[in-house]
Amino acid sequence: MKKIVCIGGGPAGLYFSILSKRARPDVDVVVIERGAPRQTIGWGLILSEGLLDRLVRQDRASGEAIRRQMLPWTGISIELPGRSIRSRGHSFLSLSRVGLISVLQERAEELGVELVYDHAFDAEREPLPEADLVVVSEGSRSKVRDARAADFGVTAEERPNKYIWLGVAKSMGDQFRFIFEETPGGYIWAHCYQFEDGYSTFVVECAETVWRALGFDRGGLEESVEACRRIFSRQLEGAKILAGDGRRNTSSWTNFKKIDCARWSAGNMVLLGNAAHSAHYSIGSGTRLALDDAAELSRALTLDTLPVPEALAAYEANRKAAAAHLHDAANRSMRWFETLPTELIARGPDRFAYGLLTRSGRIGAAELRRLDPEWFAEFEGGVETQLIAREMEPAPGRTRAISGEVEI
Ligand SMILES: Cc1cc2nc3c(=O)[nH]c(=O)nc-3n(C[C@H](O)[C@H](O)[C@H](O)COP(=O)(O)OP(=O)(O)OC[C@H]3O[C@@H](n4cnc5c(N)ncnc54)[C@H](O)[C@@H]3O)c2cc1C
């Protein structure tokens, strides 16, 4: 192996380039990125403690630099019109996406990776880069992958809900906040948490019917921001909504694109991160999957003595097996938000909150009771809810590990 080219310099492509260059300084590693240095799409990210430990083990310099940026906080708050419910005992770590990308870019440069910025690789017009291995790390809307869709066995689905990834120039408290507002068009909600002092991520989501009823299909970004500011004015308390700098980090309404690929490699091309498989953002685990993919691919290629095709097959098999439980949780969570059980709000906000907290199937009554006995005792007040709680225990083996690998 003499040369590796990664198309796409997000978390997956950058981290793979770092680990590969570290392990094989003799190999030329190039990352082609359409954006400029230290710019990216999106605001904050949640990462798990377990992932951070792995990052430090795999490359201490970048792992420690990422850890230094992480902001810890606890609790999940479910805010409904007229009532807020807080479940304590959870623990999260967040940081800015641009902070993560900047650390990875700096470390890659330091190790001698060639970073080519402002180059949007054109899969239709440009020949594939000449390299022993082309890593396709363009994200879920990868065009290089789609040009070879049959080879990779791509299943791509635009999911029905609309979302926009905004930021807010304000610390929105020390908890993950799910904020639901009822509008004349129906329910709209925000997934919100602070990722650095004075800044929070603010992902607004709703059903497409609500999105149209609220006129989001007709106005531009400014109108959308203004409408979100009005809808969530109680929580924002006048804080500025951030929708990008107008160049690379421009927020826009979109649909989550669910990607599954039957095969992750074809010839000398291999899919990495979101280009290979995407997990719904509502459990906050896509970056973790991307970074773990990168580590596994690098390990398979550089530490094992397998020929490249076998190494790629081992990478795919290991990552598909390791990621299956997260995809299961992400799919359940995605569908819960797509079929938002608003009837539960009328039957008691606690039931709705319980449904939200247990939606991914990885956390159940026993764990919620352990995390926050006070709230759980209140919730469990009625006989009927006790039955619900028992019925909704996750299946054995599906419970998430409380410390280390936390999802929302
Ligand atoms: C609203 C939202 C919230 C999220 N929150 C979390 C969270 O809290 N925690 C978490 O773990 N994950 C979260 N995720 C998921 C996470 O952002 C992705 O899973 C992760 O970024 C995947 O990394 P990637 O490198 O595979 O792809 P991407 O991050 O999409 O990176 C792809 C890169 O390729 C570049 N590129 C694309 N096409 C080309 C081209 N033709 N030429 C050159 N460059 C190209 C892009 O500019 C980009 O830099 C969230 C996602 C969303 C949408």
Side-chain angles (χ1 to χ4, degrees):
M1 176 94 58
K2 291 201 174 72
K3 184 170 181 180
I4 300 174
V5 176
C6 304
I7 306 179
L14 285 170
Y15 197 55
F16 171 76
S17 77
I18 289 170
L19 297 183
S20 303
K21 191 70 185 170
R22 246 180 75 112
R24 291 284 307 273
D26 56 312
V27 173
D28 287 338
V29 183
V30 181
V31 177
I32 300 174
E33 168 55 41
R34 66 183 171 190
R38 300 169 203 4
Q39 278 192 322
T40 190
I41 289 175
W43 302 92
L45 288 175
I46 290 172
L47 299 182
S48 68
E49 190 61 59
L51 172 69
L52 276 181
D53 291 344
R54 289 197 288 286
L55 296 184
V56 171
R57 268 201 313 277
Q58 286 152 188
D59 178 54
R60 178 168 289 278
S62 56
E64 293 290 4
I66 292 167
R67 197 191 281 282
R68 278 195 293 278
Q69 296 197 20
M70 304 298 302
L71 196 68
W73 36 275
T74 59
I76 298 179
S77 128
I78 296 131
E79 302 175 26
L80 295 158
R83 168 111 196 257
S84 286
I85 292 148
R86 181 167 181 168
S87 169
R88 286 163 295 220
H90 311 263
S91 70
F92 298 100
L93 292 166
S94 57
L95 87 168
S96 76
R97 181 162 149 116
V98 76
L100 171 71
I101 292 290
S102 300
V103 166
L104 297 179
Q105 288 174 346
E106 274 162 34
R107 181 66 176 142
E109 268 164 32
E110 185 181 279
L111 289 167
V113 173
E114 186 187 342
L115 296 174
V116 180
Y117 292 107
D118 293 310
H119 181 149
F121 183 82
D122 187 337
E124 281 175 19
R125 294 200 180 80
E126 286 182 67
L128 271 187
E130 282 195 16
D132 300 292
L133 185 69
V134 175
V135 177
V136 182
S137 44
E138 284 178 298
S140 56
R141 296 184 186 275
S142 168
K143 298 232 172 72
V144 176
R145 175 202 61 212
D146 288 349
R148 303 276 300 267
D151 292 334
F152 291 117
V154 180
T155 308
E157 249 184 296
E158 298 275 350
R159 299 301 302 185
N161 279 3
K162 291 282 181 189
Y163 77 88
I164 185 166
W165 195 351
L166 300 165
V168 174
K170 173 181 156 95
S171 287
M172 297 287 281
D174 63 345
Q175 53 201 317
F176 192 104
R177 295 173 67 176
F178 290 105
I179 304 170
F180 294 84
E181 286 294 341
E182 194 172 11
T183 71
Y187 273 93
I188 183 165
W189 56 96
H191 311 239
C192 167
Y193 56 90
Q194 64 171 324
F195 60 84
E196 75 183 42
D197 209 19
Y199 292 94
S200 302
T201 233
F202 202 76
V203 181
V204 177
E205 180 181 353
C206 60
E208 180 160 354
T209 46
V210 177
W211 184 73
R212 288 188 189 284
L214 293 174
F216 286 125
D217 56 331
R218 297 186 291 280
L221 181 61
E222 255 178 55
E223 285 83 1
S224 283
V225 166
E226 177 52 25
C228 289
R229 200 187 55 72
R230 261 186 284 110
I231 292 168
F232 297 103
S233 60
R234 279 185 311 119
Q235 298 84 5
L236 292 171
E237 296 170 321
K240 188 173 187 293
I241 290 185
L242 308 168
D245 59 11
R247 189 168 174 249
R248 284 281 293 118
N249 198 350
T250 300
S251 306
S252 60
W253 286 104
T254 184
N255 297 63
F256 174 69
K257 189 163 185 177
K258 178 87 192 96
I259 294 292
D260 286 301
C261 293
R263 293 166 292 283
W264 287 13
S265 63
N268 72 336
M269 295 164 74
V270 61
L271 304 177
L272 190 68
N274 268 17
H277 56 154
S278 60
H280 194 252
Y281 53 82
S282 58
I283 67 160
S285 293
T287 307
R288 162 170 148 201
L289 287 174
L291 295 171
D292 282 340
D293 284 357
E296 180 64 31
L297 180 59
S298 166
R299 194 194 61 75
L301 287 166
T302 57
L303 294 186
D304 291 349
T305 48
L306 293 173
V308 172
E310 275 94 329
L312 298 183
Y315 149 72
E316 175 179 336
N318 289 342
R319 287 306 296 150
K320 279 185 173 170
H325 70 291
L326 273 182
H327 283 302
D328 182 46
N331 290 342
R332 285 164 182 269
S333 176
M334 174 179 78
R335 287 195 203 99
W336 192 88
F337 282 105
E338 287 171 359
T339 54
L340 196 71
T342 46
E343 70 285 355
L344 287 184
I345 298 178
R347 288 172 60 205
D350 284 308
R351 292 175 193 227
F352 180 80
Y354 182 84
L356 197 161
L357 291 167
T358 56
R359 72 195 182 284
S360 72
R362 305 246 300 147
I363 182 168
E367 203 167 326
L368 286 177
R369 185 186 289 113
R370 193 183 69 73
L371 290 169
D372 191 348
E374 207 179 301
W375 171 70
F376 200 81
E378 211 177 292
F379 162 69
E380 242 188 345
V383 173
E384 197 198 345
T385 50
Q386 282 176 352
L387 285 176
I388 292 171
R390 269 205 299 277
E391 281 163 13
M392 289 181 73
E393 276 299 320
R398 293 248 320 276
T399 313
R400 71 182 185 181
I402 273 298
S403 61
E405 299 292 358
V406 177
E407 298 116 42
I408 310 152

